[in-house]
Amino acid sequence: MISLFVAGIIIIVVSFSGKTGIWVENLMGWERSGGGLATSRCDLSSGRWVFDNESYPLYSERQCTYLSDDLACEKFGRRDLKYQNWRWQPHQCNLPRFNATALLERLRGKRLVFVGDSLNRGQWVSMVCLLESSMPSAHKSMHKNGSLTTFKALEYNASVEFYWAPLLVESNSDDPVMHRAQDLVVRAESIIKHARHWTSADILVFNSYLWWRNEKMKIWWGSLEDNDGLYKEMELVRGYEMALSTWSNWLEAHVDPNRTRVFFMSVSATHQRGDGWSTRREQNCYSETKPITKERYQNIYAFDDNRMVKIITMVIDRLRERGIKVQMINITRLSEYRKDGHPSIYRKFWVHLTEDQLSNPKSYADCVHWCLPGVADAWNELLYAYIFYK
């Protein structure tokens, strides 16, 4: 393989079964051409996990000053650490190597803000770990102010922030510590309380799926604080559609497409049931130590309501028609394979575990979130590729 750098374009010459092909990596994505091979855009979401214990993980758990205890699996007793050594390999190209210095330079004087739920917070923690592990302690800081937590790379005057808004719009679960996913009350037409914290961001990374997985919820008109208003119980899909409409209206009114880039992360897979990869349906991610290697495998419980996926796709298409580009980053498929990457029982649990739970570890295994280093680092490698090349 030969790599050339010409005027901002990386040209990689490779041999495919005796034929020579050329990969062109530029701002339009990854293309293959020459040698009788058809030119095509590379689909970063289509690929496989490759074990790589030479260049992965990209940082160690101990190197990350700000790694939270609910993601620190090694710290809480996990000994099979091979989950840290898997690299996502797209079928038709290579992901660019994550370069913390290059990204910090791109972020100089700017704000990168993640907005969403605990899965998006995990991606933010991953990004902080990727950036700060090689930085002197005097050159970085962390500050928390309510729902907004800010990591600062002081030398670059750059900030990487997370804002807790699991439903994007206002709800009775807006407190970043004291919140619950049940008995949700949502102000689906109100977003300004949250969005005022994102207005000046240069890169926005959103997600919102997990907290909408209730059959019904209360949509509220009025003040949540004073319990003064009217509500109507609606199916989650209708509530989601209303909330995403409010979100898209805010983007259209407040985002300058010439300044701010907007991304939306797709569904992160869960492994709470063993269908498709275990003979026992009651199996979950507990004791799983290897990814799923069957590429045609589909986790039907990764996310069981495609109507919501269609809604966000429709909203993004409408925004594009209005001149606001929101790029969807597909992390669903690559997450589906990684039944081994969840914390399971190896994390800090913030609620007291009962005797019954302790006697049956499988019953309280966390099969939703992801250990770090791990799967969320691959999400950020995709985000990095989009920021620089797409």
Side-chain angles (χ1 to χ4, degrees):
M1 181 177 75
I2 303 172
S3 298
L4 304 173
F5 181 80
V6 182
I9 298 175
I10 300 174
I11 302 175
I12 304 174
V13 182
V14 246
S15 177
F16 296 91
S17 302
K19 296 182 179 180
T20 299
I22 298 176
W23 289 96
V24 182
E25 185 179 353
N26 56 30
L27 294 178
M28 296 304 295
W30 290 261
E31 296 182 344
R32 183 178 68 184
S33 63
L37 296 172
T39 300
S40 62
R41 181 184 293 273
C42 178
D43 180 0
L44 298 182
S45 67
S46 177
R48 61 192 179 93
W49 288 97
V50 176
F51 188 75
D52 180 353
N53 60 358
E54 294 185 1
S55 52
Y56 282 74
L58 297 174
Y59 57 91
S60 72
E61 185 178 292
R62 294 181 182 178
Q63 279 181 302
C64 188
T65 311
Y66 306 108
L67 185 61
S68 52
D69 282 350
D70 49 354
L71 306 174
C73 303
E74 183 179 358
K75 175 181 177 181
F76 284 87
R78 183 162 180 175
R79 294 294 173 259
D80 59 299
L81 302 182
K82 290 183 179 179
Y83 68 89
Q84 301 179 356
N85 300 121
W86 292 94
R87 169 174 56 83
W88 179 247
Q89 177 62 59
H91 284 313
Q92 297 181 316
C93 61
N94 293 319
L95 278 172
R97 178 75 175 178
F98 189 96
N99 186 318
T101 303
L103 183 55
L104 285 168
E105 194 61 55
R106 177 65 64 95
L107 294 175
R108 184 180 290 276
K110 294 181 171 62
R111 297 177 66 203
L112 165 58
V113 183
F114 292 82
V115 179
D117 58 25
S118 56
L119 289 164
N120 215 22
R121 179 169 57 201
Q123 185 176 355
W124 166 75
V125 174
S126 162
M127 179 62 80
V128 170
C129 292
L130 286 164
L131 293 176
E132 70 93 22
S133 57
S134 60
M135 295 171 57
S137 57
H139 292 183
K140 57 195 175 188
S141 69
M142 185 74 79
H143 175 71
K144 185 175 179 61
N145 181 17
S147 294
L148 183 67
T149 309
T150 302
F151 168 76
K152 292 281 289 186
L154 303 177
E155 180 182 354
Y156 296 87
N157 188 30
S159 65
V160 181
E161 307 169 34
F162 172 72
Y163 188 89
W164 171 262
L167 297 117
L168 299 184
V169 293
E170 289 185 49
S171 75
N172 62 342
S173 290
D174 286 343
D175 189 292
V177 179
M178 302 298 293
H179 51 254
R180 62 187 188 279
Q182 302 301 320
D183 303 318
L184 279 174
V185 180
V186 181
R187 294 186 69 194
E189 296 183 338
S190 180
I191 199 171
I192 298 301
K193 173 186 172 183
H194 298 325
R196 60 190 176 90
H197 296 280
W198 326 326
T199 303
S200 62
D202 300 277
I203 302 175
L204 282 164
V205 183
F206 293 97
N207 88 324
S208 188
Y209 292 104
L210 192 64
W211 281 63
W212 294 94
R213 299 180 75 172
N214 295 285
E215 289 186 7
K216 293 184 181 294
M217 60 178 55
K218 293 178 180 177
I219 304 298
W220 190 271
W221 289 267
S223 170
L224 288 171
E225 290 78 8
D226 300 331
N227 202 30
D228 178 21
L230 300 171
Y231 77 87
K232 181 177 181 180
E233 194 171 68
M234 292 185 180
E235 289 188 355
L236 69 92
V237 174
R238 178 57 183 145
Y240 191 65
E241 187 174 16
M242 291 176 64
L244 265 294
S245 176
T246 300
W247 169 79
S248 66
N249 288 339
W250 180 85
L251 288 177
E252 187 177 5
H254 296 278
V255 165
D256 178 357
N258 295 316
R259 174 195 169 181
T260 302
R261 295 191 65 179
V262 184
F263 300 95
F264 202 100
M265 307 303 295
S266 75
V267 180
S268 167
T270 66
H271 292 90
Q272 295 172 312
R273 302 186 189 182
D275 301 70
W277 48 270
S278 173
T279 56
R280 296 168 295 165
R281 190 180 180 204
E282 71 277 6
Q283 177 65 19
N284 59 18
C285 70
Y286 176 68
S287 77
E288 295 294 332
T289 59
K290 296 179 180 179
I292 296 164
T293 56
K294 183 180 178 182
E295 289 195 30
R296 292 183 179 274
Y297 161 79
Q298 183 175 2
N299 180 0
I300 61 173
Y301 293 103
F303 189 72
D304 51 16
D305 200 328
N306 287 325
R307 294 175 297 172
M308 291 176 66
V309 177
K310 291 178 180 177
I311 288 171
I312 183 59
T313 303
M314 177 187 66
V315 168
I316 288 174
D317 287 344
R318 288 178 179 173
L319 279 168
R320 186 178 293 109
E321 292 172 359
R322 300 171 190 169
I324 303 296
K325 183 179 180 181
V326 178
Q327 292 177 286
M328 175 81 83
I329 300 182
N330 187 350
I331 61 170
T332 304
R333 194 62 171 150
L334 65 89
S335 302
E336 285 180 337
Y337 298 130
R338 293 302 306 276
K339 59 183 173 61
D340 62 311
H342 299 285
S344 183
I345 63 172
Y346 302 109
R347 55 160 290 182
K348 181 172 182 177
F349 288 91
W350 304 98
V351 295
H352 180 70
L353 297 172
T354 67
E355 290 296 326
D356 287 342
Q357 287 176 315
L358 291 172
S359 65
N360 180 19
K362 189 185 299 181
S363 67
Y364 68 90
D366 180 350
C367 300
V368 174
H369 302 95
W370 302 94
C371 298
L372 289 179
V375 172
D377 300 326
W379 302 352
N380 279 322
E381 288 182 281
L382 263 65
L383 176 62
Y384 177 91
Y386 270 76
I387 289 172
F388 278 92
Y389 302 109
K390 281 184 175 282

